[in-house]
């Protein structure tokens, strides 16, 4: 019952053909639907639903909304009640309003982000099939990203992080896996990591100057895929913000880089640890904040705090 | 609500001191409790509960029972009703009967295996702590196993596999991730893999001649840890049954080997894929069964079908 | 001065088109020359000379000869004298007799293997070029083998191994890096590994029932490429003899497998160690012989002693 | 005949006990000799000669000299003639002047660096022995560096780089593997990489403001050891200048970091490619210079051009 995973990220991009080439040939996704207005829908080889990424041609590179998939259609009704009891108004969208999806529940997170829940999306299947499958697709392209793993949403200040974190725990039954605590006695959550799966995070929140998306991440198996991915990026002149790193937080292995519109992306590798509701929450103190982000140096690196994607319609 | 993960495996071993040395110095576990009768309780560095392995001095190397942890104590009451409605009698054991645990629910699986559910076990914490933790313990020993990941239980024939699989789906809400289908029209499940986490399996069942445990597995991060683990085993003359392999099933990277009593163990590495209730079940056909087990050769290897651990008190 | 490296392996194969497909699409080589009689010449992406493998259509899968490249043409004259002083007759072949090569020196090793030395072969260049090169070719196919690394020649008995080993040390100035010593007081070399580069071996010899080639090896970077290679083999139903292993000897990471004609091949990964003339020779004793070959189990595995390639014209 | 490899690096350090702790417990070396003045001599586990690093207590963190080992004592006589014919004066030091070494030949490189050649150093053997050895030492500490692999020497301007490069090719028969060419028509070598082994480099030179040592490097097997090494550094608060990277030049996998005195070190991993005298020289053009150094971003990173070690007695 409840939320299973990230369903899709919905973005505006500056040059749709450049974006298509980038996500298909470098990241390894497949275009599974194109609309008359030029909107592209893409999926990764290891995903079975029709798409996990929507790219809309635009004059601004902004974030529209993020969608998560729930297990049963009836969960939407239950969640509607819980969300509204929390004091947030919601709206049911008819089947098809979100492309190839059943009815969906639309609302704003306490942090101000547009959010969608849905239970059904058209099924396509993994590229490797479901009978005697190969462990990876021999014909895959570029980085061969497995799936969209998580997103880090930027909130206006720690209070907003704390509020949306409480919302995900209380209303969506997510588990808080890690937190950065700052301020007097570490009483403010400057960033939080939350899981509905048993991986270290399915969504995360960080305090910043504006409402937006810091990045979303593609999953890779491990550290060697990170090297190969960085090599592929270099071969294609992808702008890399932070080269291969260990995260202290989540233990993940990572690269931060940008798509042609300037959206920050991540390749995130490794299971990290088995997240569980009874796992003690991991806390990073203010003085070790950057050790948490970039474990090896423990210092700020790249444009982590300055380059992100603004929310559209702000 | 419901089962979170494997809690512990309870085994009889032939030589308790040889076993202690093996699990501590080669596998990297820590002894956290010893009883007057010589029984040892051990935990892995990445686990937070007091133990995940019980080794009892014995004259036979057999399997006693396996325990899974549920999220809330009240889940035990709900599960008791569901299990008994299924036609299986259960028994509540008082707190402390299972060492350092709260009350626990004891019963026999439809396959005949002794099974325990509990909600509370004494908390110790990960070896790396929960404040600004290192990604792994610098002082760790040997293979530095992360945690006990899953067990493969042997059942008497496909019918027993099918019955216990149905039980885990219907009563415990596990997800069937993969199956080997044999017989007329592939109508018999010769083996099944089931998840309550979002990893490929938390328990699995295979048809065989007797009721017992085929193996249980320690988690490692990835393929390089598999090489290092096999090197460490060789340095300590550990009997390896199957050298580093890719599983087709689960995509895991693996070694099969034996403890000093002859219990089959596995080091299982990699996330594999993100298991989800709506992921299409992966089916391995009879002709590709061994491709599923040992992906590279697709043929039987080692003593997979002949070396396993019998159930005690049979 | 002297021998630099393995130049090419010259084999007879049963089905030339099946072989072409295999070496091009699975191993990742490129055909750089085809003769009217169907003979194929192939190179790996990381080699700069025109070819390193000759495949001749035949009704038998046999070994013709192996060639090594010397640094200067004048080395051939010096080596001719040294070889003949050793009591072996030699013959200069005119430029072009060995395809696309300058004059070459032909003779039989003391072990009975046909052997060629040459100083010039037509230059093509690495697939990645020599100006601002990428670390690997993005468009490469299949396993993307780097280069042919070494060959293991089978000799009739330890005496033949010892004689040809002495020849390589005395005449070619190779360094003996490792040896398997058997018999009374370990007085017989059952196998030897010899280097002219600073890698653990450029050629090796093993005692067996007949004169032939046990295998030749393609170089891969490391253990992760070994997993990927084994996955690619499985996807193409390549017959694998020995799945991913650690060699004790050379420390190399390896797979043994067969080409469509039944020639044994190896993917060998890792530097192992820096071979040097003053490095103490590593000795494997008779009781640890198989630990040397297959480090993890220390026991014989696959068809190592029974499947190899016979010398043609024997 | 001729130079085999780097023999040792001779440095002044600020705090000898802090240095001992660093090189022993973090880098994994062993102290094999201590002099009354506090000078420490250390070796890596995979080296067989007595030491490869000399650390002298000092009030400045400077470079004294670097030594290379030749194959035969008589090579020293031949090289003395060649060096002096080149116009450089040399001096034979008696056995024992360089600790635990036979007679050695001392001179200044054309670049101004103090340089030593020797043929004999006391033998200790690898930590894993030479009979049935394990592939790595189970009891090793920290990063478990294999051996000192190479040094990058800083020269005053491209002319000095070009002169010393010519010297290494003409007098020492090194092979030029890669070069950075700048200036009009790329006519100036701003940096060169040279090999006497068949690895990509045994010494390298780079133009800079002063005569000194840019860094010396410890060898590790591959990319996974790089991650582990960076983790170990972070656990011990080692100052990392450049986190895990791919070099375009040499294809090596690397970390740049500092010892407690501020000497720049590198962990360099991977074979890269098989260096050979007939391999075409790889050229990096001025516009792709930083792609050569840091392949993934292609831009300057860290203190590469500003932090290095000055030559003592300058």
């Amino acid at each position: 019952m409840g939320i299973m995973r990230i369903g899709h990220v919905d973005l505006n991009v500056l040059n749709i053909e450049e974006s298509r080439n980038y996500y298909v040939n470098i990241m390894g996704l497949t275009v599974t639907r194109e609309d008359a207005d030029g909107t592209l829908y893409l999926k990764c080889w290891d995903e079975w639903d029709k798409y996990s990424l929507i790219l809309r041609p635009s004059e601004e590179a902004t974030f529209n909304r993020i969608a998560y998939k729930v297990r049963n259609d009836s969960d939407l009704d239950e969640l509607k009640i819980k969300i509204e009891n929390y004091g947030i108004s919601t709206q049911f969208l008819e089947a098809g309003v979100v492309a190839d999806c059943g009815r969906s529940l639309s609302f704003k997170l306490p942090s101000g982000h547009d959010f969608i829940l849905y239970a059904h999306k058209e099924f396509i299947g993994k590229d490797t099939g479901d009978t005697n499958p190969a462990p990876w697709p021999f014909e895959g392209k570029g980085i061969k990203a497995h799936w969209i793993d998580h997103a880090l949403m930027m909130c206006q200040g720690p209070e907003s992080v704390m509020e949306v974190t409480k919302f995900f725990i209380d209303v969506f039954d997510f588990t808080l896996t890690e937190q950065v605590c700052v301020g007097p006695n570490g009483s403010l959550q400057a960033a939080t990591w939350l899981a509905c799966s048993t991986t270290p995070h399915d969504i995360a929140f960080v305090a910043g100057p504006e409402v937006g998306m810091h990045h979303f991440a593609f999953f890779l198996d491990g550290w060697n895929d990170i090297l190969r991915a960085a090599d592929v990026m270099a071969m294609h002149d992808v702008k890399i913000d932070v080269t291969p790193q260990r995260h202290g937080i989540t233990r993940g292995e990572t690269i931060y880089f940008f798509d042609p519109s300037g959206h920050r992306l991540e390749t995130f590798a490794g299971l990290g640890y088995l997240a569980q509701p009874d796992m003690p929450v991991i806390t990073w103190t203010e003085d070790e904040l950057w050790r948490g982000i970039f474990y090896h140096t423990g210092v700020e690196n790249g444009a982590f705090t300055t380059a992100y994607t603004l929310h559209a319609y702000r």
Side-chain angles (χ1 to χ4, degrees), chain A residues 59-84:
Chain A
E59 293 184 1
E60 59 175 30
T62 46
F63 167 87
N64 292 315
R65 61 194 65 81
I66 191 166
Y68 278 69
K69 190 177 188 184
V70 301
R71 187 162 172 184
N72 305 303
D73 187 77
S74 60
D75 295 333
L76 297 175
D77 296 311
E78 289 182 34
L79 286 165
K80 180 181 174 64
I81 294 168
K82 293 180 73 174
I83 296 163
E84 298 201 338

Side-chain angles (χ1 to χ4, degrees), chain A residues 8 51 65-70 73 76-77 80 83 90-107 115-121:
Chain A
H8 60 260
Y51 62 86
R65 61 194 65 81
I66 191 166
Y68 278 69
K69 190 177 188 184
V70 301
D73 187 77
L76 297 175
D77 296 311
K80 180 181 174 64
I83 296 163
T90 68
Q91 182 188 5
F92 263 119
L93 307 177
E94 282 180 26
V97 172
V98 178
D100 299 314
C101 289
R103 67 169 182 157
S104 60
L105 190 63
S106 172
F107 57 97
F115 203 80
I116 297 273
L117 292 172
Y118 68 93
H120 295 296
K121 187 181 281 181

Side-chain angles (χ1 to χ4, degrees), chain A residues 41 60 66 86 105 111 117 134 154 156 190 226 268 304 314:
Chain A
Y41 303 75
E60 59 175 30
I66 191 166
Y86 197 88
L105 190 63
S111 51
L117 292 172
M154 181 169 280
Q156 281 188 301
I226 290 290
F268 180 89
F304 191 85
R314 60 200 173 280

Side-chain angles (χ1 to χ4, degrees), chain A residues 109-223:
Chain A
L109 294 179
S111 51
H113 297 88
D114 285 334
F115 203 80
I116 297 273
L117 292 172
Y118 68 93
H120 295 296
K121 187 181 281 181
E122 189 179 321
F123 174 83
I124 287 192
K126 297 185 184 187
D127 290 13
T128 46
D130 54 20
T131 305
N132 307 324
W136 46 274
F138 185 67
E139 301 292 346
K141 288 186 176 176
I143 288 168
K144 300 189 190 185
H146 281 254
W147 59 76
I148 294 186
D149 183 81
H150 68 270
L152 173 58
M153 309 311 295
M154 181 169 280
C155 308
Q156 281 188 301
E159 290 77 9
S160 180
V161 169
M162 294 172 78
E163 188 182 3
V164 74
T165 298
K166 184 174 184 331
F167 176 81
F168 268 76
I169 294 171
D170 291 351
V171 177
F172 291 160
D173 197 28
F174 275 48
T175 296
L176 179 65
T177 56
E178 310 208 24
Q179 58 186 349
V180 172
C181 289
V182 302
N185 301 316
S187 58
L188 297 172
Q189 288 170 312
T192 55
W193 287 259
L194 294 141
C196 59
S197 71
T198 51
T199 69
H201 55 343
D202 293 287
I203 197 163
F205 298 98
V206 63
E210 297 181 274
V211 175
M213 180 187 71
H214 186 271
H215 71 267
F216 73 94
F218 292 98
F219 186 81
L220 296 179
D221 277 330
W223 181 239

Side-chain angles (χ1 to χ4, degrees), chain A residues 8-25:
Chain A
H8 60 260
V9 176
D10 183 337
L11 300 176
N12 298 317
V13 298
L14 300 181
N15 182 322
I16 197 71
E17 286 312 312
E18 200 179 350
S19 297
R20 180 205 300 266
N21 176 62
Y22 178 90
Y23 284 98
V24 169
N25 293 311

